[in-house]
Amino acid sequence: MSPRRSYDQYCSAARALDVVGDRWTLLIVRELLAGARRYTDLHADLPGVSTDVLASRLKDMERDGLATRRRLPPPGAANVYELTPRGRELLPVLQALGAWGQAELGERRPTDAVRAHWFALPLLRALDGEGLVEVRLEEGHFHLYVGAEEGPVYGDGPAPREPDAVLVLGADTCAAVARGEVSVTDAVRDGRITVTGDGAVAKALRET
């Protein structure tokens, strides 16, 4: 475990950065917002992080009360990491950073990695109400727990039960939403997002 460093400033922002300001920490939080994840899954979805750095950050997050580690029962029999309630409180921080970073996103560069679920938080910012939403992209499917106050915020793959809404859209449209160039409601109105489902989220999107 790396020694804890501090800015030694009596300021809440500085204190927060003492805990989450190290490289990769907030991106690990982004991944753990999907719920419990194995180390190997985290490493696969954080391209560019070394195994040593990832292990060190996870230990730091355990020490600082942001994440916990537990052993899955058989037949899983693997260690998984998940956010504590304190760690989940970083969701609005990541949402604010994502909104601020829209202007920095630009077009995807040839060297940029991408995972379908990385669009989960931008879409979550754009949706109102409560419900389970399945998102279908050519690159993969993921689902969102819109309005959830506890538990996972999103997850990989199709929704685990009948979703309240299903959104089908192209990667270009999803990227445009992430960059703040188009709203979800405008994309639905223009036919760039197809909405199906009988839940409140689906009805609200179709009625805009």
Side-chain angles (χ1 to χ4, degrees):
M1 187 179 301
S2 59
R4 184 167 186 167
R5 295 176 294 178
S6 175
Y7 288 104
D8 291 325
Q9 296 178 13
Y10 193 67
C11 162
S12 59
R15 288 286 198 269
L17 289 172
D18 286 346
V19 178
V20 299
D22 282 332
R23 183 172 169 84
W24 295 106
T25 299
L26 285 176
L27 294 184
I28 295 171
V29 172
R30 179 196 67 191
E31 296 302 312
L32 292 180
L33 284 167
R37 303 289 303 276
R38 296 180 302 173
Y39 176 90
T40 52
D41 295 330
L42 288 171
H43 190 257
D45 282 335
L46 290 166
V49 70
S50 71
T51 55
D52 288 346
V53 168
L54 179 56
S56 176
R57 294 293 180 271
L58 287 168
K59 289 178 181 178
D60 290 345
M61 291 173 68
E62 287 185 81
R63 174 194 63 196
D64 294 330
L66 302 180
T68 59
R69 178 178 49 171
R70 63 182 171 89
R71 185 79 172 172
L72 291 178
N79 289 322
V80 293
Y81 295 87
E82 53 195 339
L83 293 176
T84 63
R86 176 70 168 163
R88 197 184 186 283
E89 288 174 357
L90 287 164
L91 172 59
V93 176
L94 279 171
Q95 293 289 57
L97 278 173
W100 182 84
Q102 287 177 343
E104 306 298 322
L105 196 55
E107 297 295 329
R108 183 182 171 189
R109 299 170 298 196
T111 55
D112 282 342
V114 67
R115 302 287 188 273
H117 69 260
W118 291 351
F119 292 112
L121 295 187
L123 283 175
L124 195 68
R125 288 199 305 271
L127 295 172
D128 295 322
E130 295 181 5
L132 176 61
V133 177
E134 183 174 307
V135 181
R136 300 176 183 174
L137 303 173
E138 290 181 1
E139 291 77 8
H141 297 181
F142 59 90
H143 50 278
L144 307 170
Y145 297 95
V146 180
E149 296 184 359
E150 57 184 27
V153 172
Y154 68 92
D156 270 321
R161 59 180 187 274
E162 185 69 22
D164 299 289
V166 176
L167 309 185
V168 181
L169 63 161
D172 289 345
T173 299
C174 211
V177 171
R179 292 192 296 265
E181 297 171 357
V182 64
S183 69
V184 170
T185 53
D186 285 344
V188 171
R189 192 179 300 116
D190 295 342
R192 297 166 66 180
I193 298 178
T194 301
V195 181
T196 58
D198 298 321
V201 175
K203 292 177 180 177
L205 288 172
R206 287 196 294 263
E207 291 170 359
T208 54

